[in-house]
């Protein structure tokens, strides 16, 4: 099937404004008659729930954390992009649009990316009005810094805590609506099923993580803002609770999953210390503003203290390979370049899994106090974890799974192929193509939540009669029964392997065979091993306790079961795409180490339809057109 993204036509500069005007409106007096469910309260979900509540809709917001303010968006460090052009260095909405299309290796929709660039400036105004403490220069104006994939400074930041400060702004707006009574908050609830009645999304089934009770909620529309899925690699920078479960449940109910093989490996994370480490620590990409990446030229120098290696014996590999962008090359390129050095036997630190990120040149240029002002909390965090002072010796870094560009397929209105099911933020596939530029995740989450869904969901609701289905409907009862059966099945297996043991093995397979580099052979290995591992899981997993209590083993078992199904789809997507683009790097398709795209055969969004576990999914395609950016070989040299 050829999918239609329903993008508006005409001059791209006018598409979003014209589309907003063409959308049907809901009478203010009628808005209170509609119920909307929002799952997830990070930047996309929190902003959406607050904005929809402010508009007068009845909103039910759900999160699995004990508070909406604990969403994983809080972990974002570096900043948020916007085309304000405050430094007067040549930025514009078109340049942000162009950089994002190019950064995504020409695998994103033009219309969606233009809208993102256009509303980016509104986001900064909104957040400043909320009191978000962005960094300011000596004169009091908002300050900017650079991020990878751009030659202008357009990133607004709050030291190394930008995500936390933006989330507090969204949380404040959400709290205001909770007090006003337009938003009802349900914390410690995990979505375990999507209720679809006659082909339309009508509600969700959740588990109360404290009491174990299974609950159902009905609405006129459902918004998923449940983040990404890179915990499929086991070791990632994501919080332990991040999972694919909500998206996967919706996928099994008919929602198409788009480009699942597009995952991002972040170039600057603290290297893994041992095989039983359960989490990796991200260090903001903003550090590459002032830090220079290098490894020793000679393997004989690997055992030396880095400060003893002279300048002429260092290989500043990003500056050498990409002189135009240097250390600000995009994440996919910077990650692969770091791995190349380590694979070449010139990696530093334990196991040779690291490259240096050196601030000595910047400290000489601007002074340690300025570096401390810009990144002080990041340097403190690094020292607490490694016991090394990055003011006196280079940091050690290594790439790690960080973000998923793939997600549920949505049209221009952020609605999936299931009417009434909207998908926001990292949970959808829409704007980053095959590689996300740094500081664009926060931008997308808030764009979707504050400025897109408040319009587009109104266009849908205006065509729907409110309250057509409630939780007495037979489909809600069936979903509750299915969830209860699944719980009983987990608890009845009583096998010999823990849930974490299965997840660790799956993550290892995904990292080795579908990680930073993939091949036809490695993917086919996974396509054989993952079903076998899944079969063993359902025979040999050990889940203790009961379903009628707080039971984190049970929670993790459900998430792992979903990852075991999703991982196969991800490998299948990577296997079918015989090209390299952005974060999807097939070793067979490269030109002197650079990704080799195949626009003639793969310039489309690949959206998969679920046909059953152990059955081959069906691939649908949405062709991508580039009328405003020339489709060209991506180069940062």
């Amino acid at each position: 099937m050829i999918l239609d993204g329903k993008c508006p036509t005409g001059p791209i500069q006018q598409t979003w404004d014209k589309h907003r005007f063409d959308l049907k409106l809901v009478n203010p007096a009628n808005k209170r008659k509609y119920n909307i469910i929002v799952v997830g309260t990070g930047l996309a979900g929190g902003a959406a729930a607050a904005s929809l509540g402010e508009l007068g809709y009845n909103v039910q917001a759900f999160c699995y954390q004990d508070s909406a303010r604990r969403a994983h968006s809080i972990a974002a460090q570096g900043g948020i992009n916007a085309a304000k052009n405050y430094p007067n260095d040549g930025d514009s909405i078109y340049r942000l649009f162009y950089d994002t299309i190019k950064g995504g290796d020409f695998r994103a929709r033009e219309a969606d990316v233009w809208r993102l660039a256009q509303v980016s400036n509104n986001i900064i105004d909104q957040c400043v009005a909320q009191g978000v403490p962005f960094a300011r220069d000596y004169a009091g104006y908002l300050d900017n810094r650079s991020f990878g994939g751009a030659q202008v400074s357009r990133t607004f930041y709050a030291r190394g805590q930008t995500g936390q400060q933006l989330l507090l702004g969204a949380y404040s707006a959400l709290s205001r609506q909770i007090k006003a009574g337009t938003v009802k908050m349900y914390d410690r609830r995990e979505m375990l099923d999507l209720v679809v009645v006659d082909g339309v999304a009508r509600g969700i089934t959740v588990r109360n993580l404290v009491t174990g009770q299974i609950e159902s909620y009905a609405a006129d529309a459902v918004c998923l803002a449940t983040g990404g899925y890179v915990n499929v690699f086991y070791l990632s920078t994501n919080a332990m609770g991040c999972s694919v479960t909500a998206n996967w449940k919706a996928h099994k109910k008919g929602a198409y999953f788009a480009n699942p093989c597009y995952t991002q490996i972040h170039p600057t994370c603290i290297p893994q210390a041992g095989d039983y480490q359960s989490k990796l620590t991200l260090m903001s990409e903003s550090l590459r503003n002032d830090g220079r990446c290098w490894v020793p030229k000679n393997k004989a120098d690997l055992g030396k203290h880095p400060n003893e290696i002279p300048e002429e014996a260092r290989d500043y590999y990003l500056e050498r390979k990409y002189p135009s962008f240097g250390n600000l090359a995009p994440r996919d390129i910077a990650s692969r370049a770091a791995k190349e050095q380590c694979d070449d036997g010139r990696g530093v630190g334990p196991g040779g899994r690291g490259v240096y990120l050196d601030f000595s040149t910047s400290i000489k240029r601007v002074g340690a106090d300025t570096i401390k002002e810009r990144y002080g909390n990041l340097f403190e965090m690094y020292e607490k974890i490694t016991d090394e002072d990055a003011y006196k010796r280079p940091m050690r870094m290594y790439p790690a799974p960080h973000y998923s560009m793939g997600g549920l397929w949505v049209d221009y209105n952020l609605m999936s192929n299931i009417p009434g099911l909207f998908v926001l933020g990292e949970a959808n596939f829409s704007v980053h193509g095959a590689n996300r530029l740094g500081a664009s995740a926060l931008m997308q989450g808030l764009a979707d939540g504050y400025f897109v869904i408040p319009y587009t969901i109104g266009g849908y609701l205006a065509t729907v009669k409110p309250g057509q289905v409630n939780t007495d409907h037979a489909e809600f009862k069936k979903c509750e029964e299915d969830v209860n059966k699944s719980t009983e099945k987990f608890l009845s297996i009583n096998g010999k392997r823990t849930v974490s043991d299965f997840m660790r093995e799956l993550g290892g397979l995904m990292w080795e065979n579908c990680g930073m580099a993939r091949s036809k052979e490695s993917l086919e290995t996974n396509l054989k091993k993952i079903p076998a591992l899944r079969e063993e899981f359902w025979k040999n997993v050990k889940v203790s306790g009961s379903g009628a209590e707080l039971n984190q083993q049970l929670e993790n078992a459900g998430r792992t079961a979903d990852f075991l199904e999703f991982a196969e789809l991800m490998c299948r997507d990577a296997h079918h795409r015989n090209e390299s683009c952005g974060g999807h790097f097939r070793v067979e398709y490269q030109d002197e180490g650079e990704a080799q795209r195949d626009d003639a055969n793969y310039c489309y969004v690949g959206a998969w339809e679920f046909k059953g576990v152990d059955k081959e999914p069906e691939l649908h395609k949405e062709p991508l057109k580039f009328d405003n950016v020339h489709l060209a070989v991506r180069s940062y040299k």
Side-chain angles (χ1 to χ4, degrees):
M1 180 195 299
I2 301 300
L3 296 172
D4 180 7
K6 298 177 182 174
C7 297
T9 56
I12 198 162
Q13 295 85 351
Q14 300 170 16
T15 48
W16 176 230
D17 293 336
K18 181 176 183 302
H19 187 71
R20 282 189 298 172
F21 181 79
D22 291 341
L23 284 167
K24 292 184 177 180
L25 299 174
V26 179
N27 184 316
N30 288 336
K31 285 178 179 170
R32 64 179 70 97
K33 299 176 183 176
Y34 288 96
N35 288 303
I36 301 172
I37 283 174
V38 178
V39 186
T41 55
L43 287 180
S51 300
L52 295 171
E54 180 89 33
L55 284 170
Y57 295 110
N58 291 308
V59 179
Q60 301 171 87
F62 297 81
C63 69
Y64 70 83
Q65 298 92 345
D66 57 358
S67 167
R69 62 184 289 180
R70 291 176 65 84
H72 183 59
S73 301
I74 205 168
Q77 298 170 351
I80 176 170
N81 286 331
K84 287 284 194 182
N85 193 29
Y86 282 167
N88 198 27
D89 56 358
D91 202 6
S92 63
I93 290 173
Y94 182 83
R95 189 175 293 279
L96 175 53
F97 159 71
Y98 175 85
D99 287 346
T100 306
I101 290 285
K102 177 184 174 185
D105 217 349
F106 301 89
R107 289 294 179 262
R109 276 193 206 128
E110 279 194 341
D112 293 49
V113 177
W114 177 269
R115 178 175 63 190
L116 177 69
Q118 181 179 336
V119 304
S120 67
N121 293 338
N122 303 115
I123 296 170
I124 301 304
D125 296 340
Q126 166 91 350
C127 294
V128 168
Q130 290 174 337
V132 172
F134 285 122
R136 292 176 182 269
D137 62 19
Y138 185 76
Y141 294 108
L142 294 179
D143 202 3
N144 287 143
R145 59 188 175 195
S146 303
F147 255 61
Q151 291 179 312
V152 297
S153 292
R154 61 161 69 104
T155 304
F156 296 77
Y157 64 100
R159 295 192 71 190
Q161 305 170 339
T162 314
Q164 179 179 355
Q165 299 304 326
L166 294 175
L167 187 62
L168 288 173
Y171 178 72
S172 299
L174 178 63
S175 297
R176 180 171 176 268
Q177 295 308 315
I178 292 172
K179 184 176 182 181
T182 59
V183 176
K184 186 169 177 55
M185 189 69 224
Y186 297 89
D187 54 34
R188 303 296 282 145
R189 263 72 165 195
E190 182 170 28
M191 175 183 151
L192 294 182
D193 209 351
L194 175 74
V195 182
V196 178
V197 179
D198 298 329
V200 179
R202 294 297 189 185
I204 60 173
T205 305
V206 304
R207 179 172 182 267
N208 184 320
L209 298 181
V210 177
T211 66
Q213 185 175 353
I214 305 302
E215 303 166 353
S216 292
Y217 297 87
D220 300 297
V222 176
C223 298
L224 297 187
T226 47
Y229 49 77
V230 294
N231 271 353
V232 72
F233 293 108
Y234 182 65
L235 273 181
S236 82
T237 64
N238 281 194
M240 296 290 283
C242 294
S243 74
V244 75
T245 289
N247 267 12
W248 191 249
K249 299 302 186 188
H251 176 59
K252 293 175 80 168
K253 284 297 180 73
Y256 297 164
F257 214 118
N259 301 335
C261 75
Y262 291 166
T263 51
Q264 181 165 84
I265 312 297
H266 196 290
T268 51
C269 302
I270 298 178
Q272 183 180 356
D275 290 340
Y276 282 88
Q277 186 172 336
S278 61
K279 190 49 54 189
L280 292 172
T281 304
L282 169 73
M283 298 297 285
S284 169
E285 179 177 325
S286 63
L287 293 168
R288 286 196 281 144
N289 264 292
D290 290 299
R292 303 176 69 192
C293 299
W294 65 273
V295 292
K297 287 182 179 177
N298 303 312
K299 295 176 183 177
D301 290 337
L302 288 173
K304 294 181 180 177
H305 189 290
N307 293 346
E308 295 175 354
I309 301 174
E311 191 72 14
E312 61 272 16
R314 301 177 177 186
D315 179 12
Y316 293 95
Y317 56 90
L318 285 177
E319 298 171 31
R320 170 174 55 82
K321 294 183 66 174
Y322 307 99
S324 293
F325 283 72
N327 294 291
L328 291 176
R331 291 178 173 178
D332 56 332
I333 288 175
S335 294
R336 281 198 293 274
K339 185 173 182 292
E340 281 176 18
Q341 314 314 311
C342 297
D343 291 346
D344 190 38
R346 295 187 294 148
V348 300
R353 290 179 295 195
V355 298
Y356 287 128
L357 186 62
D358 194 338
F359 292 85
S360 58
T361 303
S362 295
I363 289 174
K364 288 178 185 173
R365 189 180 74 249
V366 299
D369 288 344
T370 300
I371 296 299
K372 185 175 183 180
E373 184 180 309
R374 292 173 180 170
Y375 318 108
N377 63 317
L378 298 175
F379 276 54
E380 289 173 17
M381 184 169 70
Y382 181 81
E383 185 170 9
K384 286 180 179 177
I385 293 173
T386 65
D387 197 28
E388 295 175 359
D389 184 351
Y391 293 103
K392 297 179 179 176
R393 60 177 294 164
M395 292 180 175
R396 288 177 295 107
M397 294 289 149
Y398 193 69
H402 176 60
Y403 191 88
S404 45
M405 284 77 70
L408 293 183
W409 183 87
V410 292
D411 63 16
Y412 188 71
N413 294 315
L414 301 183
M415 189 162 78
S416 73
N417 58 300
I418 298 178
L421 177 65
F422 294 79
V423 191
L424 286 64
E426 190 179 356
N428 73 35
F429 85 101
S430 66
V431 293
H432 302 303
N435 174 61
R436 177 176 68 78
L437 291 182
S440 288
L442 306 184
M443 179 171 61
Q444 187 209 355
L446 291 181
D448 287 358
Y450 283 137
F451 296 105
V452 180
I453 196 67
Y455 292 96
T456 59
I457 203 169
Y460 168 73
L461 292 174
T463 67
V464 174
K465 183 180 178 182
Q468 293 185 65
V469 175
N470 60 37
T471 56
D472 293 332
H473 193 281
E475 196 60 32
F476 280 88
K477 304 301 179 190
K478 181 179 183 304
C479 287
E480 288 192 13
E481 290 173 7
D482 290 343
V483 170
N484 280 320
K485 286 179 182 175
S486 178
T487 299
E488 292 169 5
K489 188 174 181 181
F490 284 127
L491 296 170
S492 66
I493 297 171
N494 198 27
K496 297 185 182 303
R497 292 183 66 181
T498 65
V499 174
S500 296
D501 198 28
F502 280 102
M503 194 61 230
R504 188 179 292 113
E505 182 173 343
L506 175 66
L509 287 173
M510 294 303 288
W511 178 248
E512 290 299 322
N513 297 323
C514 191
M516 203 164 2
R518 302 113 181 231
S519 68
K520 180 175 182 289
E521 290 72 24
S522 71
L523 293 165
E524 289 175 352
T525 297
N526 267 14
L527 289 172
K528 291 179 181 175
K529 289 188 173 182
I530 290 172
L533 183 65
R534 185 167 64 235
E535 184 178 356
E536 186 194 352
F537 174 85
W538 285 110
K539 294 178 179 175
N540 198 28
V541 72
K542 171 76 173 179
V543 181
S544 304
S546 77
E549 60 181 345
L550 174 66
N551 188 339
Q552 291 189 315
Q553 281 191 39
L554 181 61
E555 296 169 24
N556 291 331
R559 295 164 191 163
T560 300
D562 293 329
F563 272 133
L564 281 164
E565 294 176 0
F566 166 73
E568 186 178 344
L569 178 69
M570 187 172 153
C571 293
R572 194 176 296 279
D573 188 46
H575 184 265
H576 106 281
R577 193 170 279 277
N578 293 317
E579 64 165 352
S580 293
C581 55
H584 168 63
F585 191 77
R586 286 277 298 269
V587 296
E588 308 97 315
Y589 306 102
Q590 57 179 307
D591 182 9
E592 297 181 350
E594 303 297 328
Q596 195 173 49
R597 264 190 0 245
D598 181 352
D599 295 328
N601 294 301
Y602 294 97
C603 192
Y604 59 76
V605 177
W608 297 87
E609 180 181 359
F610 183 78
K611 292 292 185 180
V613 179
D614 297 324
K615 294 183 179 177
E616 190 165 332
E618 183 177 354
L619 176 64
H620 304 286
K621 300 177 182 178
E622 179 194 341
L624 292 170
K625 297 178 182 177
F626 295 93
D627 299 323
N628 298 277
V629 177
H630 176 57
L631 187 60
V633 174
R634 192 175 62 147
S635 174
Y636 291 93
K637 295 182 176 179

